[in-house]
Amino acid sequence: MNSYIKPGDNPLLTEERKKCQFSTDILAAFYHENAQKIKRRHEIYQYYLENKELHDPEPTEFMDRYHRLENAERKVSLLKKHVKKAGSPLGLHYTMMIPTILNNADDEQKAEWLPKAQNLEFIGTYAQTELGHGTNLRFLETTATYDPKTQEFILNSPTTSAAKWWPGNLGKSSNRIIVVARLISNGKDYGPHSFFVPIRDPITHKSLPGVTVGDIGPKFGIPTVDNGFLLLNNVRIPRRNMFMKNAKLNPDGTYISPKHAKLAYGTMVYVRAVMIRTMSHMLGLASTISIRYSAIRKQGEIEAGKGEVKVLEYQTQQYRLLPQVARAWAFEFAGRYTRKLYAQFLGGDVDVLPALHGVSSGLKAVVTHQTAQGIEQCRMACGGHGYSEASGLPQLFATAVAGCTYEGENMVMLLQSARQLVKIASDVRKNQKPTKQNPVTDYLYKTSAATKCKIDQTTDPDPSSVIEAFEHVARRLTFAAFDKLEQLKQRGISAENAWVQCGVDLRRAATAHTRTFIARQFSNGILEMRDLPVQAVLKDLLQLYLFYEVLECDGDLLYDGYVIGQQIEYSKNNVYEALRRLRPNAVSIVDSFDFNDRELNSVLGRRDGNVYENMLEWAKSSPLNKHDVMPFHHKYLGKMMEDARQQSKL
Ligand SMILES: CCCCCCCCCCCCCCCC(=O)SCCNC(=O)CCNC(=O)[C@H](O)C(C)(C)COP(=O)(O)OP(=O)(O)OC[C@H]1O[C@@H](n2cnc3c(N)ncnc32)[C@H](O)[C@@H]1OP(=O)(O)O
Ligand SMILES: Cc1cc2nc3c(=O)[nH]c(=O)nc-3n(C[C@H](O)[C@H](O)[C@H](O)COP(=O)(O)OP(=O)(O)OC[C@H]3O[C@@H](n4cnc5c(N)ncnc54)[C@H](O)[C@@H]3O)c2cc1C
């Protein structure tokens, strides 16, 4: 029932696929939400295969940044002709420029800017972070001073640290951008607001007067994105270039406050909510690459004389890789919840914003961190070839790990999540009931149902016993942090300083709370699956996820005797049992992520499993191999060795 088998595949991979005990089509459709999306994915891939102009002239790993960016812009310009969605030089246009227009533009502005943005008549980005500030938005320095005489804003970067710094595609690609600047009107500073600012001529693309813009240089990864810097010197824009759906400024300079103070932060909440799926996909890509490779990589004999085995036979290899598959599924289910909540907010339910901010802050932090860790684990589990750019894993890691920083540095996001927990703990301590149902936090108002955890040695455990255990830990850590805050304040320490002195405990509580949320979404999510063989695979993945997470927080569970060591032993056995059950289907399960060879961008993860011959082809295409002897050899090493030989004759 594995529909990914094709003639000419590596027989080691085909034999794996023939062991498949479920329908990969049904599982793939469940992961991508429906069969229609799978069909569309296959159509786009087939289209890509047929249109060679969309292909890279050589493996991009061999290109310098200049040629990578040129190649990416070339493909993007072609994509406009072929498909609506475009690649990296437009990443921020789609993930932040358009959402900001949807989120912050009033109807008249939307009518003017949205069609042009969607039709790619301009390229935009979201320029908020500055050289001196990224986290602390209250202290952003760029100013937008209103001039009522001309009804314009005058934008300035008052200091070097005010330079916008990091925005993706700002350096060379974008020409109309969102600038977050302090709104100053009639001498009053209203804090950061968003403005629509032309920075390059629409025809010549030359930077406009008063604009200094450029690329910030090479980074840890994401080489095809021109993250840029921007300095503004008396740049004038019309009053109506301030996004005015939420806050407004009248022609005479009077300011009208937004309904909710944080509506301006809506784009960030959007990206945090939707990037969870992107992270799930990245972990799915890494799992696909490393598990397919582990199914064709033979290394070492288990029993002498019986021949080398696939490294996927080793329990340690399964323990490194299969939990990443489980987490990719867990993150997909968790992300569906935050996307639904965001849709509610975009639909006009402003009240949902605090809950959405609370859950998306913690989720973004935990998911990006575990995704980066998981990709690195997949890379290391591929041995030497995992370290080669041919595997696609180093670049995948470098791209994913940026998510721990952008859209809100992870530690800061966990502390934002902790704000919500502390407020609830305070209500509980005052015996106040929740003002409105919130399925994410209601458990905090309860006391631990079972004083003892119900994890026992049944090999078909009920997920609720594990989720209750996670709730118990999150509750304990939340109230422990809250009580410590209160004690510090009773000793006369300010609330702000007490908060800083409890930072690590607050971060631990937020992490435990987020783990509980993810586990609950995964457990609820698989209930929709009606096909029994596929449901069995999902239950094994859920069991693996839950008990793997138990082992990750065993100390917190043992801390107050909520579990005993024997139950940790049961949990370990449940992990091993889940690995055993999943092993025969491992390759088909990652096949069901349905990532094609273009998305995988990996010789190790190719669908056909023909790795070795393609590794050699890939290496041969290195520009270095255009020369048998490098042109500079005799100038340096050759001369050095010749001198050494001459020297030794003396
Ligand atoms: C189409 C395909 C998609 C694919 C998708 C692919 C994705 C993959 C590519 C992504 C590509 C991106 C590339 C990176 C793009 C950048 O990185 S854009 C820049 C991102 N920058 C940030 O995230 C800045 C982080 N900092 C902040 O958000 C704020 O400074 C902080 C940390 C929330 C603090 O803000 P603050 O105003 O000082 O607020 P604070 O005093 O802490 O709290 C005051 C109250 O506001 C609340 N609050 C704070 N923020 C919020 C909020 N956002 N909402 C609601 N309430 C809030 C607090 O909860 C608090 O409430 P109470 O507890 O008092 O009730
Ligand atoms: C690849 C990439 C793409 C990006 N794209 C964009 C973009 O398109 N547009 C844009 O505007 N920005 C973008 N950024 C910038 C990004 O949003 C910021 O880097 C991020 O918000 C972190 O802010 P910072 O760099 O100021 O880190 P800092 O806040 O300076 O973090 C440094 C350390 O200080 C700690 N810290 C800071 N404040 C607190 C606090 N209150 N409590 C406890 N600890 C604290 C942090 O946890 C961290 O450990 C991008 C960044 C990257 C890496």
Side-chain angles (χ1 to χ4, degrees):
M1 298 196 270
N2 179 324
S3 58
Y4 292 83
I5 295 174
K6 289 204 172 70
D9 289 355
N10 183 323
L12 294 174
L13 216 45
T14 302
E15 78 185 17
E16 291 288 333
R17 288 170 170 147
K18 285 186 172 162
K19 287 190 279 185
C20 181
Q21 300 153 344
F22 67 95
S23 159
T24 49
D25 292 345
I26 293 176
L27 188 59
F30 195 51
Y31 181 71
H32 289 281
E33 288 192 310
N34 59 57
Q36 188 50 36
K37 285 189 180 176
I38 296 292
K39 183 169 172 290
R40 184 74 188 117
R41 286 173 52 80
H42 292 177
E43 285 165 2
I44 291 170
Y45 184 51
Q46 190 50 41
Y47 189 95
Y48 161 79
L49 292 174
E50 289 158 7
N51 286 272
K52 298 298 178 214
E53 63 177 356
L54 291 171
H55 298 193
D56 297 323
E58 61 175 308
T60 54
E61 295 78 18
F62 299 127
M63 293 179 187
D64 61 23
R65 276 198 77 214
Y66 182 98
H67 290 101
R68 277 178 185 247
L69 186 59
E70 180 187 17
N71 181 49
E73 290 207 7
R74 177 188 64 79
K75 288 191 291 183
V76 158
S77 63
L78 287 168
L79 280 174
K80 163 95 168 119
K81 187 173 92 185
H82 296 283
V83 285
K84 278 270 172 280
K85 215 50 198 296
S88 55
L90 292 179
L92 271 295
H93 185 78
Y94 281 103
T95 54
M96 298 201 85
M97 167 56 96
I98 290 178
T100 301
I101 295 172
L102 288 168
N103 216 343
N104 293 0
D106 65 22
D107 292 345
E108 190 187 313
Q109 291 169 327
K110 219 173 276 178
E112 186 195 344
W113 296 332
L114 193 56
K116 294 190 177 86
Q118 288 169 330
N119 191 34
L120 295 177
E121 291 174 42
F122 65 82
I123 295 174
T125 185
Y126 181 84
Q128 172 178 285
T129 300
E130 296 173 353
L131 196 54
H133 291 92
T135 290
N136 187 9
L137 302 184
R138 291 172 191 266
F139 278 56
L140 288 176
E141 297 177 79
T142 304
T143 56
T145 307
Y146 185 61
D147 176 354
K149 287 193 295 305
T150 62
Q151 295 196 23
E152 291 174 317
F153 289 102
I154 306 160
L155 278 88
N156 272 296
S157 310
T159 61
T160 303
S161 58
K164 291 301 179 186
W165 200 277
W166 274 111
N169 310 137
L170 174 62
K172 296 297 166 192
S173 314
S174 298
N175 51 15
R176 298 265 174 291
I177 69 170
I178 290 146
V179 173
V180 177
R182 314 192 69 82
L183 165 58
I184 295 167
S185 175
N186 298 332
K188 190 166 178 328
D189 180 342
Y190 294 95
H193 287 70
S194 300
F195 299 85
F196 186 79
V197 184
I199 58 167
R200 289 180 180 274
D201 180 284
I203 309 304
T204 66
H205 204 59
K206 285 188 183 311
S207 43
L208 295 173
V211 172
T212 306
V213 63
D215 176 77
I216 63 171
K219 312 175 289 284
F220 185 71
I222 322 182
T224 48
V225 173
D226 50 315
N227 298 79
F229 65 82
L230 170 75
L231 286 148
L232 299 164
N233 179 17
N234 290 324
V235 173
R236 285 179 169 266
I237 58 173
R239 177 181 68 87
R240 288 288 297 159
N241 274 37
M242 169 183 160
F243 281 86
M244 291 219 201
K245 176 180 175 186
N246 302 314
K248 299 177 188 353
L249 196 84
N250 293 329
D252 66 356
T254 49
Y255 177 76
I256 298 162
S257 301
K259 274 188 288 184
H260 186 295
K262 299 303 174 189
L263 282 173
Y265 289 3
T267 302
M268 292 182 277
V269 173
Y270 163 76
V271 178
R272 291 173 197 146
V274 297
M275 68 190 277
I276 305 304
R277 162 167 280 174
T278 308
M279 291 293 149
S280 167
H281 287 183
M282 288 191 194
L283 197 49
L285 285 164
S287 319
T288 302
I289 292 166
S290 52
I291 284 174
R292 281 180 179 169
Y293 176 64
S294 299
I296 63 102
R297 176 70 172 184
K298 289 197 165 187
Q299 198 70 201
E301 293 184 302
I302 293 179
E303 291 171 277
K306 294 214 169 161
E308 288 201 282
V309 300
K310 299 174 179 179
V311 294
L312 198 53
E313 300 316 339
Y314 297 118
Q315 186 193 56
T316 47
Q317 191 78 355
Q318 296 164 19
Y319 190 78
R320 296 176 89 169
L321 299 181
L322 287 168
Q324 313 316 332
V325 180
R327 279 181 165 174
W329 271 96
F331 299 163
E332 169 54 23
F333 286 117
R336 289 181 186 177
Y337 182 91
T338 48
R339 285 198 305 280
K340 246 185 263 164
L341 218 49
Y342 183 78
Q344 227 178 294
F345 162 66
L346 203 58
D349 179 358
V350 174
D351 294 344
V352 81
L353 190 57
L356 176 58
H357 173 58
V359 70
S360 60
S361 302
L363 190 60
K364 180 265 179 196
V366 169
V367 166
T368 52
H369 188 243
Q370 291 186 347
T371 295
Q373 281 181 316
I375 294 169
E376 182 56 356
Q377 187 62 260
C378 290
R379 187 194 64 74
M380 290 189 286
C382 291
H385 302 330
Y387 193 74
S388 164
E389 290 277 19
S391 71
L393 291 166
Q395 273 305 329
L396 186 57
F397 172 77
T399 303
V401 76
C404 295
T405 305
Y406 67 56
E407 222 52 75
E409 204 285 324
N410 277 359
M411 202 52 70
V412 171
M413 290 295 105
L414 285 168
L415 292 170
Q416 280 294 307
S417 169
R419 284 185 78 111
Q420 192 183 39
L421 301 181
V422 163
K423 271 198 299 190
I424 292 172
S426 168
D427 289 352
V428 171
R429 283 281 188 269
K430 290 181 246 164
N431 287 319
Q432 281 168 9
K433 292 291 169 229
T435 45
K436 61 189 282 194
Q437 288 301 317
N438 179 342
V440 177
T441 55
D442 284 349
Y443 75 93
L444 288 166
Y445 291 88
K446 295 177 194 149
T447 49
S448 290
T451 47
K452 285 280 171 275
C453 176
K454 293 186 295 242
I455 293 178
D456 59 27
Q457 66 190 94
T458 53
T459 52
D460 192 9
D462 172 2
S464 60
S465 58
V466 180
I467 291 169
E468 274 168 28
F470 291 157
E471 288 177 348
H472 174 80
V473 167
R475 239 189 323 263
R476 183 174 62 74
L477 292 175
T478 296
F479 285 97
F482 174 76
D483 293 341
K484 187 172 166 187
L485 278 168
E486 292 307 295
Q487 285 151 22
L488 289 173
K489 287 190 279 190
Q490 274 147 25
R491 281 178 17 210
I493 292 172
S494 72
E496 293 75 9
N497 278 310
W499 182 265
V500 169
Q501 290 179 34
C502 296
V504 178
D505 295 321
L506 291 162
R507 191 272 308 161
R508 284 165 52 80
T511 303
H513 169 67
T514 305
R515 173 190 298 117
T516 307
F517 167 74
I518 295 172
R520 195 181 301 113
Q521 297 317 312
F522 194 173
S523 177
N524 296 341
I526 69 167
L527 299 177
E528 294 167 36
M529 177 46 66
R530 293 279 170 268
D531 178 276
L532 294 181
V534 171
Q535 193 189 80
V537 168
L538 288 166
K539 279 176 77 173
D540 288 342
L541 286 169
L542 173 65
Q543 176 175 328
L544 177 58
Y545 174 80
L546 291 175
F547 288 101
Y548 186 82
E549 291 295 338
V550 165
L551 301 185
E552 292 273 290
C553 67
D554 54 358
D556 286 328
L557 286 163
L558 291 162
Y559 178 89
D560 58 354
Y562 185 74
V563 301
I564 57 171
Q566 180 56 59
Q567 289 171 299
I568 299 299
E569 199 57 31
Y570 294 148
S571 302
K572 272 200 297 188
N573 294 335
N574 284 330
V575 166
Y576 303 151
E577 170 63 9
L579 294 177
R580 188 191 64 75
R581 286 180 177 170
L582 287 162
R583 170 64 192 89
N585 285 316
V587 169
S588 299
I589 291 169
V590 295
D591 282 341
S592 306
F593 282 131
D594 191 59
F595 293 123
N596 59 52
D597 283 355
R598 184 190 72 79
E599 292 166 313
L600 290 162
N601 187 36
S602 168
V603 177
L604 302 193
R606 300 168 55 94
R607 191 206 51 72
D608 65 14
N610 296 322
V611 173
Y612 293 148
E613 47 276 62
N614 284 287
M615 274 296 271
L616 185 56
E617 282 316 301
W618 184 87
K620 281 181 180 172
S621 65
S622 163
L624 294 187
N625 295 323
K626 289 189 179 105
H627 313 273
D628 182 28
V629 177
M630 296 311 282
F632 46 76
H633 171 78
H634 294 295
K635 187 174 170 191
Y636 302 115
L637 295 182
K639 182 175 180 316
M640 178 194 75
M641 290 185 279
E642 181 52 32
D643 292 352
R645 285 191 291 272
Q646 294 309 326
Q647 198 74 24
S648 70
K649 282 179 195 155
L650 297 180

